[in-house]
Amino acid sequence: MESAEKIKITSKALASGNHQVKFFVEDEQRPQYGYLLVTEPKPVGEIIEQIKAKLESRKVKMGNINPFFPVAPMEDDPNFYLFSA
């Protein structure tokens, strides 16, 4: 997963005991932001690696879209949301 993008995160504790992590992907060509729901406390490095893995997985899924039937795959992780900035 070599990339020039930088990921910055902020975390907020929720009333449920979970943590909402807001992340910003600083990429000159395609800046993005999103949210990740974390159910247990984790180190920052582990959260960033989890975000990178989810971004890579989404990138692979988008690359496998049939050009004759261009429908994006359904999202399978309700704890991960990604938006274009």
Side-chain angles (χ1 to χ4, degrees):
M1 271 186 290
E2 298 277 336
S3 65
E5 59 197 27
K6 294 180 183 177
I7 298 176
K8 292 185 178 182
I9 65 170
T10 58
S11 179
K12 177 171 93 172
L14 302 175
S16 65
N18 296 333
H19 290 274
Q20 179 188 42
V21 177
K22 183 173 184 179
F23 62 91
F24 301 92
V25 180
E26 296 178 352
D27 184 358
E28 290 182 14
Q29 297 170 344
R30 191 172 178 203
Q32 299 173 314
Y33 71 98
Y35 299 92
L36 175 67
L37 182 64
V38 181
T39 57
E40 57 190 34
K42 294 182 180 183
V44 173
E46 191 174 321
I47 292 172
I48 290 175
E49 288 303 315
Q50 185 177 0
I51 292 169
K52 284 181 179 180
K54 289 186 181 292
L55 290 172
E56 186 66 25
S57 172
R58 181 170 287 205
K59 187 176 177 181
V60 168
K61 286 179 185 176
M62 294 304 285
N64 291 335
I65 293 177
N66 183 345
F68 298 108
F69 191 65
V71 175
M74 292 185 62
E75 182 60 39
D76 58 350
D77 187 355
N79 295 329
F80 183 76
Y81 297 94
L82 183 64
F83 305 97
S84 295

Coordinates of all heavy atoms in Angstrom, one line a residue:
M1 N 0.8 -1.2 0.0 CA 0.0 0.0 0.0 C 0.9 1.3 0.0 O 0.8 2.1 0.9 CB -0.9 0.0 1.2 CG -2.2 -0.7 1.0 SD -3.3 -0.5 2.4 CE -2.5 -1.5 3.7
E2 N 1.7 1.4 -1.0 CA 2.5 2.6 -1.1 C 1.7 3.7 -1.7 O 1.1 3.6 -2.7 CB 3.7 2.3 -2.0 CG 4.6 1.2 -1.6 CD 5.6 1.7 -0.6 OE1 5.9 2.9 -0.6 OE2 6.1 0.9 0.2
S3 N 1.6 4.8 -1.0 CA 0.9 6.0 -1.5 C 1.5 7.3 -0.9 O 2.1 7.2 0.1 CB -0.6 5.9 -1.3 OG -0.8 5.9 0.1
A4 N 1.2 8.4 -1.6 CA 1.7 9.6 -1.2 C 0.7 10.4 -0.3 O 1.0 11.5 0.1 CB 2.1 10.5 -2.4
E5 N -0.4 9.7 -0.1 CA -1.5 10.4 0.7 C -1.2 10.4 2.2 O -0.5 9.5 2.7 CB -2.8 9.8 0.4 CG -2.9 8.3 0.7 CD -4.0 7.6 0.1 OE1 -4.5 8.0 -1.0 OE2 -4.5 6.6 0.6
K6 N -1.7 11.4 2.9 CA -1.5 11.5 4.3 C -2.9 11.4 4.9 O -3.9 11.9 4.4 CB -0.9 12.8 4.7 CG 0.6 12.9 4.2 CD 1.1 14.3 4.7 CE 2.5 14.4 4.1 NZ 3.1 15.8 4.5
I7 N -3.0 10.7 6.0 CA -4.3 10.6 6.7 C -4.2 11.2 8.1 O -3.3 10.9 8.9 CB -4.7 9.1 6.9 CG1 -4.8 8.5 5.5 CG2 -5.9 8.9 7.7 CD1 -5.1 7.0 5.5
K8 N -5.1 12.1 8.4 CA -5.2 12.8 9.7 C -6.5 12.3 10.3 O -7.5 12.2 9.6 CB -5.1 14.3 9.5 CG -3.8 14.8 9.1 CD -3.8 16.3 9.1 CE -2.4 16.8 8.7 NZ -2.3 18.2 8.7
I9 N -6.5 12.1 11.6 CA -7.7 11.6 12.3 C -8.0 12.5 13.5 O -7.1 13.1 14.1 CB -7.6 10.2 12.7 CG1 -6.6 9.9 13.7 CG2 -7.4 9.3 11.5 CD1 -6.6 8.5 14.3
T10 N -9.3 12.5 13.8 CA -9.8 13.1 15.1 C -10.8 12.1 15.6 O -11.5 11.4 14.9 CB -10.4 14.5 14.9 OG1 -11.5 14.4 14.0 CG2 -9.4 15.5 14.4
S11 N -10.9 12.0 17.0 CA -11.8 11.0 17.5 C -12.7 11.7 18.5 O -12.4 12.6 19.2 CB -11.0 9.9 18.3 OG -11.8 9.0 18.9
K12 N -13.9 11.1 18.6 CA -14.9 11.6 19.5 C -15.6 10.4 20.2 O -16.1 9.5 19.5 CB -15.9 12.5 18.7 CG -17.1 13.0 19.5 CD -17.9 14.0 18.7 CE -19.1 13.3 18.1 NZ -20.0 14.2 17.4
A13 N -15.7 10.5 21.5 CA -16.4 9.4 22.3 C -17.9 9.6 22.1 O -18.4 10.8 22.2 CB -16.0 9.5 23.7
L14 N -18.6 8.6 21.9 CA -20.1 8.6 21.8 C -20.7 8.1 23.0 O -20.1 7.4 23.8 CB -20.5 7.8 20.6 CG -19.9 8.1 19.2 CD1 -20.4 7.1 18.2 CD2 -20.3 9.5 18.8
A15 N -22.0 8.5 23.2 CA -22.7 8.0 24.4 C -22.8 6.5 24.5 O -22.9 6.0 25.6 CB -24.1 8.6 24.4
S16 N -22.7 5.8 23.4 CA -22.8 4.4 23.4 C -21.5 3.7 23.9 O -21.5 2.5 24.1 CB -23.1 3.9 22.0 OG -22.0 4.2 21.1
G17 N -20.5 4.5 24.1 CA -19.2 3.9 24.5 C -18.3 3.7 23.3 O -17.1 3.4 23.5
N18 N -18.8 3.8 22.1 CA -18.0 3.6 20.9 C -17.2 5.0 20.6 O -17.5 6.0 21.2 CB -18.8 3.3 19.7 CG -19.5 1.9 19.9 OD1 -19.0 1.1 20.6 ND2 -20.6 1.7 19.2
H19 N -16.3 4.9 19.7 CA -15.6 6.1 19.3 C -15.8 6.4 17.8 O -15.7 5.4 17.0 CB -14.1 6.0 19.5 CG -13.8 6.0 21.0 ND1 -13.5 7.1 21.7 CD2 -13.6 5.0 21.9 CE1 -13.3 6.9 22.9 NE2 -13.3 5.5 23.1
Q20 N -16.2 7.6 17.5 CA -16.3 8.0 16.1 C -15.0 8.6 15.6 O -14.6 9.6 16.2 CB -17.5 9.0 15.9 CG -17.6 9.4 14.5 CD -18.7 10.5 14.4 OE1 -18.7 11.5 15.2 NE2 -19.5 10.5 13.4
V21 N -14.4 8.1 14.6 CA -13.1 8.6 14.1 C -13.4 9.3 12.8 O -13.9 8.6 11.9 CB -12.1 7.5 13.9 CG1 -10.8 8.0 13.3 CG2 -11.8 6.7 15.2
K22 N -13.1 10.6 12.7 CA -13.2 11.3 11.5 C -11.8 11.4 10.9 O -10.9 11.7 11.6 CB -13.8 12.7 11.7 CG -14.0 13.5 10.4 CD -14.7 14.8 10.6 CE -15.0 15.5 9.3 NZ -15.7 16.7 9.4
F23 N -11.7 11.0 9.6 CA -10.4 11.1 9.0 C -10.4 11.9 7.7 O -11.5 12.0 7.1 CB -9.9 9.6 8.7 CG -10.8 8.8 7.8 CD1 -10.5 8.9 6.4 CD2 -11.8 8.1 8.2 CE1 -11.3 8.1 5.5 CE2 -12.6 7.3 7.4 CZ -12.3 7.4 6.0
F24 N -9.3 12.5 7.4 CA -9.1 13.3 6.2 C -7.9 12.6 5.4 O -6.9 12.4 6.0 CB -8.7 14.7 6.6 CG -9.7 15.4 7.4 CD1 -9.7 15.4 8.8 CD2 -10.8 16.1 6.8 CE1 -10.6 16.0 9.6 CE2 -11.7 16.7 7.6 CZ -11.6 16.7 9.0
V25 N -8.2 12.3 4.2 CA -7.1 11.8 3.3 C -6.6 13.0 2.5 O -7.4 13.5 1.6 CB -7.7 10.7 2.4 CG1 -6.6 10.2 1.5 CG2 -8.3 9.6 3.2
E26 N -5.4 13.4 2.7 CA -4.9 14.6 2.0 C -4.1 14.1 0.8 O -3.0 13.7 0.9 CB -3.9 15.4 3.0 CG -4.6 16.0 4.2 CD -3.7 16.7 5.1 OE1 -2.5 16.6 4.9 OE2 -4.2 17.3 6.0
D27 N -4.8 14.1 -0.3 CA -4.3 13.7 -1.6 C -4.6 14.8 -2.6 O -5.7 15.2 -2.7 CB -5.0 12.4 -2.0 CG -4.4 11.8 -3.3 OD1 -3.5 12.4 -3.9 OD2 -4.9 10.7 -3.7
E28 N -3.5 15.3 -3.2 CA -3.7 16.4 -4.1 C -4.7 16.1 -5.3 O -5.4 17.0 -5.7 CB -2.4 16.8 -4.7 CG -1.4 17.5 -3.7 CD -0.1 17.9 -4.3 OE1 0.0 18.0 -5.6 OE2 0.8 18.1 -3.6
Q29 N -4.7 14.9 -5.8 CA -5.6 14.6 -6.9 C -7.0 14.3 -6.5 O -7.9 14.5 -7.2 CB -5.0 13.4 -7.7 CG -3.6 13.7 -8.3 CD -3.0 12.5 -8.8 OE1 -3.3 11.4 -8.5 NE2 -1.9 12.7 -9.6
R30 N -7.1 13.7 -5.3 CA -8.5 13.2 -4.9 C -8.6 13.3 -3.3 O -8.5 12.3 -2.7 CB -8.7 11.8 -5.3 CG -10.1 11.4 -5.2 CD -10.4 10.1 -5.9 NE -11.8 9.7 -5.6 CZ -12.2 8.5 -5.7 NH1 -11.4 7.5 -6.0 NH2 -13.5 8.2 -5.5
P31 N -8.8 14.5 -2.8 CA -9.0 14.6 -1.3 C -10.3 14.0 -0.9 O -11.3 14.1 -1.6 CB -8.9 16.1 -1.0 CG -9.3 16.7 -2.3 CD -8.9 15.8 -3.4
Q32 N -10.3 13.3 0.3 CA -11.4 12.6 0.8 C -11.5 12.8 2.3 O -10.5 13.1 2.9 CB -11.4 11.1 0.4 CG -11.4 10.8 -1.1 CD -11.1 9.3 -1.3 OE1 -10.3 8.7 -0.7 NE2 -11.9 8.8 -2.2
Y33 N -12.7 12.5 2.8 CA -12.9 12.4 4.2 C -13.9 11.4 4.5 O -14.6 10.9 3.7 CB -13.3 13.8 4.8 CG -14.7 14.2 4.5 CD1 -15.7 14.0 5.4 CD2 -15.0 14.8 3.3 CE1 -17.0 14.4 5.1 CE2 -16.3 15.2 3.0 CZ -17.3 15.0 3.9 OH -18.6 15.3 3.6
G34 N -13.9 10.9 5.8 CA -14.9 9.9 6.1 C -14.9 9.7 7.6 O -14.3 10.4 8.4
Y35 N -15.7 8.7 8.0 CA -15.9 8.3 9.4 C -15.8 6.8 9.5 O -16.2 6.0 8.7 CB -17.3 8.7 9.8 CG -17.6 10.2 9.7 CD1 -18.1 10.7 8.6 CD2 -17.3 11.0 10.8 CE1 -18.4 12.1 8.5 CE2 -17.5 12.4 10.7 CZ -18.1 12.9 9.6 OH -18.3 14.3 9.5
L36 N -15.2 6.4 10.7 CA -15.0 5.0 11.0 C -15.5 4.9 12.5 O -15.1 5.7 13.4 CB -13.6 4.6 10.9 CG -13.2 3.2 11.4 CD1 -13.8 2.2 10.5 CD2 -11.7 3.0 11.5
L37 N -16.4 3.9 12.7 CA -16.9 3.7 14.1 C -16.0 2.6 14.7 O -15.9 1.5 14.1 CB -18.4 3.2 14.0 CG -19.0 3.0 15.4 CD1 -19.1 4.3 16.2 CD2 -20.4 2.4 15.2
V38 N -15.4 2.9 15.8 CA -14.5 2.0 16.5 C -15.2 1.6 17.8 O -15.6 2.4 18.6 CB -13.2 2.6 16.8 CG1 -12.2 1.6 17.5 CG2 -12.5 3.1 15.5
T39 N -15.4 0.3 18.0 CA -16.1 -0.2 19.2 C -15.2 -0.4 20.4 O -15.7 -0.5 21.5 CB -16.8 -1.6 18.9 OG1 -15.7 -2.5 18.5 CG2 -17.8 -1.4 17.8
E40 N -13.9 -0.4 20.2 CA -13.0 -0.5 21.4 C -11.8 0.4 21.2 O -11.4 0.7 20.0 CB -12.5 -1.9 21.6 CG -11.8 -2.5 20.3 CD -11.6 -4.0 20.4 OE1 -12.4 -4.7 21.0 OE2 -10.6 -4.4 19.9
P41 N -11.2 0.9 22.2 CA -10.0 1.8 22.1 C -8.9 1.1 21.4 O -8.6 -0.1 21.7 CB -9.6 2.1 23.5 CG -10.8 1.8 24.4 CD -11.6 0.7 23.6
K42 N -8.3 1.8 20.4 CA -7.2 1.2 19.6 C -6.1 2.3 19.5 O -6.4 3.5 19.5 CB -7.6 0.8 18.2 CG -8.6 -0.3 18.2 CD -8.9 -0.7 16.8 CE -9.9 -1.8 16.8 NZ -10.2 -2.3 15.4
P43 N -4.9 1.9 19.4 CA -3.8 2.9 19.1 C -4.0 3.6 17.8 O -4.6 3.1 16.8 CB -2.5 2.1 19.1 CG -2.9 0.8 19.6 CD -4.3 0.6 19.5
V44 N -3.5 4.9 17.7 CA -3.7 5.7 16.5 C -3.2 5.0 15.2 O -3.8 4.9 14.2 CB -3.1 7.1 16.6 CG1 -3.1 7.9 15.4 CG2 -3.8 7.8 17.7
G45 N -2.0 4.4 15.4 CA -1.4 3.7 14.2 C -2.2 2.5 13.7 O -2.3 2.3 12.5
E46 N -2.9 1.8 14.6 CA -3.7 0.7 14.2 C -5.0 1.2 13.5 O -5.4 0.6 12.5 CB -4.1 -0.1 15.5 CG -4.8 -1.4 15.1 CD -5.1 -2.2 16.4 OE1 -4.2 -2.3 17.3 OE2 -6.1 -2.9 16.4
I47 N -5.5 2.3 14.0 CA -6.7 2.9 13.3 C -6.3 3.4 11.9 O -7.1 3.1 11.0 CB -7.3 4.1 14.2 CG1 -7.9 3.5 15.5 CG2 -8.3 4.9 13.4 CD1 -8.3 4.6 16.4
I48 N -5.2 4.0 11.8 CA -4.8 4.5 10.4 C -4.5 3.3 9.5 O -4.9 3.4 8.3 CB -3.5 5.4 10.6 CG1 -3.9 6.7 11.2 CG2 -2.9 5.7 9.2 CD1 -2.8 7.7 11.5
E49 N -3.9 2.3 10.0 CA -3.8 1.1 9.2 C -5.1 0.5 8.7 O -5.3 0.0 7.6 CB -2.9 0.0 9.9 CG -1.4 0.4 10.0 CD -0.8 0.7 8.6 OE1 -1.0 -0.1 7.7 OE2 -0.1 1.7 8.5
Q50 N -6.1 0.5 9.7 CA -7.4 0.0 9.3 C -8.1 0.8 8.3 O -8.7 0.3 7.3 CB -8.3 -0.1 10.6 CG -9.6 -0.7 10.4 CD -10.4 -0.7 11.7 OE1 -10.0 -0.3 12.8 NE2 -11.6 -1.2 11.6
I51 N -7.9 2.1 8.4 CA -8.5 3.0 7.4 C -7.8 2.8 6.0 O -8.5 2.7 5.0 CB -8.3 4.5 7.8 CG1 -9.2 4.8 9.0 CG2 -8.6 5.5 6.6 CD1 -9.0 6.1 9.7
K52 N -6.5 2.7 6.0 CA -5.8 2.4 4.8 C -6.2 1.1 4.1 O -6.4 1.0 2.9 CB -4.2 2.4 5.0 CG -3.6 3.7 5.2 CD -2.1 3.6 5.4 CE -1.5 4.9 5.6 NZ 0.0 4.7 5.8
A53 N -6.4 0.1 4.9 CA -6.9 -1.2 4.4 C -8.2 -1.1 3.8 O -8.5 -1.7 2.7 CB -6.9 -2.3 5.5
K54 N -9.1 -0.4 4.4 CA -10.5 -0.2 3.9 C -10.5 0.6 2.6 O -11.2 0.4 1.7 CB -11.4 0.5 4.9 CG -11.7 -0.5 6.1 CD -12.7 0.1 7.0 CE -13.0 -0.9 8.2 NZ -13.7 -2.1 7.8
L55 N -9.6 1.7 2.5 CA -9.5 2.5 1.3 C -9.0 1.6 0.2 O -9.5 1.7 -1.0 CB -8.6 3.7 1.6 CG -9.1 4.8 2.5 CD1 -8.0 5.8 2.8 CD2 -10.3 5.4 1.8
E56 N -8.0 0.8 0.4 CA -7.4 -0.1 -0.6 C -8.5 -1.1 -1.1 O -8.6 -1.4 -2.3 CB -6.2 -0.8 -0.1 CG -5.5 -1.6 -1.1 CD -4.8 -0.8 -2.2 OE1 -4.5 0.4 -2.0 OE2 -4.7 -1.3 -3.3
S57 N -9.2 -1.7 -0.1 CA -10.3 -2.6 -0.5 C -11.3 -2.0 -1.4 O -11.7 -2.6 -2.4 CB -10.9 -3.2 0.8 OG -12.0 -3.9 0.5
R58 N -11.7 -0.8 -1.0 CA -12.7 0.0 -1.8 C -12.1 0.3 -3.2 O -12.9 0.1 -4.2 CB -13.1 1.2 -1.1 CG -14.1 2.0 -1.9 CD -14.7 3.1 -1.1 NE -15.5 2.6 -0.1 CZ -16.5 3.2 0.5 NH1 -16.8 4.4 0.1 NH2 -17.3 2.7 1.4
K59 N -10.9 0.6 -3.3 CA -10.2 0.9 -4.6 C -10.2 -0.3 -5.5 O -10.5 -0.3 -6.7 CB -8.8 1.4 -4.3 CG -8.1 1.9 -5.5 CD -6.7 2.4 -5.0 CE -5.8 2.8 -6.1 NZ -4.5 3.3 -5.7
V60 N -9.9 -1.5 -4.9 CA -9.9 -2.8 -5.7 C -11.3 -3.1 -6.1 O -11.5 -3.5 -7.3 CB -9.4 -3.9 -4.8 CG1 -9.6 -5.2 -5.5 CG2 -7.9 -3.7 -4.6
K61 N -12.3 -2.9 -5.3 CA -13.7 -3.2 -5.6 C -14.2 -2.3 -6.8 O -14.9 -2.7 -7.7 CB -14.7 -3.0 -4.4 CG -14.6 -4.2 -3.4 CD -15.5 -3.9 -2.3 CE -15.3 -5.0 -1.2 NZ -16.2 -4.7 0.0
M62 N -13.8 -1.0 -6.7 CA -14.2 -0.1 -7.8 C -13.5 -0.4 -9.1 O -14.1 -0.2 -10.2 CB -13.9 1.3 -7.4 CG -14.7 1.8 -6.2 SD -16.5 1.7 -6.4 CE -16.8 3.0 -7.5
G63 N -12.3 -1.0 -9.0 CA -11.6 -1.4 -10.2 C -12.2 -2.6 -10.9 O -11.9 -2.9 -12.1
N64 N -13.0 -3.4 -10.1 CA -13.6 -4.6 -10.7 C -15.0 -4.4 -11.2 O -15.7 -5.4 -11.5 CB -13.6 -5.7 -9.6 CG -12.2 -6.2 -9.2 OD1 -11.3 -6.1 -10.1 ND2 -12.0 -6.7 -8.0
I65 N -15.4 -3.2 -11.4 CA -16.8 -2.9 -11.9 C -16.9 -3.3 -13.3 O -16.0 -2.9 -14.1 CB -17.2 -1.4 -11.6 CG1 -17.3 -1.1 -10.2 CG2 -18.5 -1.1 -12.4 CD1 -17.6 0.3 -9.8
N66 N -17.9 -4.0 -13.7 CA -18.2 -4.3 -15.1 C -18.4 -3.1 -15.9 O -19.4 -2.4 -15.6 CB -19.3 -5.3 -15.1 CG -19.6 -5.8 -16.5 OD1 -19.1 -5.3 -17.5 ND2 -20.4 -6.9 -16.6
P67 N -17.6 -2.8 -17.0 CA -17.9 -1.6 -17.8 C -19.2 -1.6 -18.5 O -19.7 -0.5 -18.9 CB -16.7 -1.5 -18.7 CG -16.2 -2.9 -18.7 CD -16.5 -3.6 -17.4
F68 N -19.8 -2.8 -18.7 CA -21.0 -2.9 -19.5 C -22.2 -2.7 -18.5 O -23.4 -2.5 -19.0 CB -21.1 -4.2 -20.2 CG -20.1 -4.3 -21.3 CD1 -19.0 -5.2 -21.1 CD2 -20.1 -3.5 -22.4 CE1 -18.0 -5.3 -22.0 CE2 -19.1 -3.6 -23.3 CZ -18.0 -4.5 -23.2
F69 N -22.0 -2.8 -17.3 CA -23.0 -2.7 -16.2 C -22.4 -1.9 -15.1 O -22.2 -2.5 -14.0 CB -23.6 -4.1 -15.8 CG -24.8 -4.0 -15.0 CD1 -26.0 -3.6 -15.5 CD2 -24.8 -4.4 -13.7 CE1 -27.1 -3.5 -14.8 CE2 -25.9 -4.4 -12.9 CZ -27.1 -3.9 -13.5
P70 N -22.2 -0.6 -15.2 CA -21.4 0.1 -14.2 C -22.2 0.5 -13.0 O -22.6 1.6 -12.7 CB -21.0 1.4 -15.0 CG -22.1 1.6 -16.0 CD -22.5 0.2 -16.4
V71 N -22.4 -0.5 -12.2 CA -23.1 -0.3 -10.9 C -22.0 -0.5 -9.8 O -21.4 -1.6 -9.8 CB -24.3 -1.2 -10.7 CG1 -24.9 -1.1 -9.3 CG2 -25.3 -1.0 -11.8
A72 N -21.9 0.5 -8.9 CA -20.9 0.3 -7.8 C -21.3 -0.8 -6.9 O -22.5 -1.0 -6.7 CB -20.8 1.6 -7.1
P73 N -20.4 -1.5 -6.4 CA -20.7 -2.6 -5.4 C -21.4 -2.1 -4.2 O -21.1 -1.0 -3.7 CB -19.4 -3.3 -5.1 CG -18.4 -2.2 -5.5 CD -19.0 -1.4 -6.5
M74 N -22.3 -2.9 -3.6 CA -22.9 -2.4 -2.4 C -21.9 -2.4 -1.2 O -21.0 -3.2 -1.2 CB -24.1 -3.4 -2.0 CG -25.2 -3.4 -3.0 SD -26.6 -4.4 -2.4 CE -27.0 -3.7 -0.9
E75 N -22.1 -1.4 -0.4 CA -21.2 -1.3 0.8 C -21.5 -2.4 1.8 O -22.6 -2.6 2.1 CB -21.5 0.1 1.4 CG -20.5 0.4 2.6 CD -19.1 0.4 2.2 OE1 -18.7 0.9 1.1 OE2 -18.3 -0.1 3.0
D76 N -20.4 -3.0 2.2 CA -20.6 -4.1 3.1 C -20.2 -3.8 4.6 O -20.2 -4.6 5.4 CB -19.8 -5.3 2.6 CG -18.4 -5.1 2.5 OD1 -17.9 -3.9 2.6 OD2 -17.6 -6.0 2.2
D77 N -19.7 -2.6 4.8 CA -19.3 -2.2 6.2 C -20.1 -0.9 6.6 O -19.7 0.2 6.2 CB -17.8 -1.9 6.1 CG -17.2 -1.7 7.5 OD1 -18.0 -1.6 8.5 OD2 -16.0 -1.6 7.6
P78 N -21.1 -1.1 7.5 CA -21.8 0.0 7.9 C -21.1 1.0 8.9 O -21.6 2.0 9.3 CB -23.1 -0.6 8.6 CG -22.6 -1.9 9.0 CD -21.5 -2.4 8.0
N79 N -19.9 0.6 9.3 CA -19.1 1.4 10.2 C -18.0 2.2 9.5 O -17.2 2.9 10.2 CB -18.4 0.5 11.3 CG -19.4 -0.2 12.1 OD1 -20.5 0.3 12.4 ND2 -19.0 -1.4 12.5
F80 N -18.1 2.3 8.2 CA -17.1 3.0 7.4 C -17.8 3.8 6.3 O -18.5 3.3 5.5 CB -16.1 2.0 6.8 CG -15.0 2.7 6.0 CD1 -13.9 3.3 6.7 CD2 -15.0 2.7 4.6 CE1 -12.9 3.9 6.0 CE2 -13.9 3.3 3.9 CZ -12.9 3.9 4.6
Y81 N -17.6 5.1 6.3 CA -18.2 6.0 5.4 C -17.1 6.9 4.7 O -16.2 7.4 5.4 CB -19.3 6.9 6.0 CG -20.4 6.2 6.6 CD1 -20.4 5.8 7.9 CD2 -21.5 5.8 5.8 CE1 -21.5 5.1 8.5 CE2 -22.5 5.1 6.3 CZ -22.5 4.7 7.7 OH -23.5 4.0 8.2
L82 N -17.2 7.0 3.4 CA -16.2 7.8 2.7 C -16.8 8.8 1.8 O -17.8 8.4 1.1 CB -15.3 6.8 1.9 CG -14.1 7.4 1.1 CD1 -13.1 8.0 2.1 CD2 -13.4 6.3 0.3
F83 N -16.3 10.0 1.7 CA -16.9 11.1 0.9 C -15.7 11.8 0.1 O -14.6 11.8 0.6 CB -17.6 12.1 1.7 CG -18.7 11.5 2.6 CD1 -18.4 11.2 4.0 CD2 -19.9 11.2 2.1 CE1 -19.4 10.6 4.8 CE2 -20.9 10.7 2.9 CZ -20.6 10.4 4.3
S84 N -16.0 12.4 -1.0 CA -15.1 13.2 -1.7 C -15.1 14.6 -1.1 O -16.2 15.1 -0.8 CB -15.4 13.3 -3.2 OG -15.3 12.0 -3.8
A85 N -13.9 15.2 -1.0 CA -13.9 16.5 -0.4 C -13.9 17.6 -1.4 O -13.7 17.4 -2.6 CB -12.6 16.7 0.4

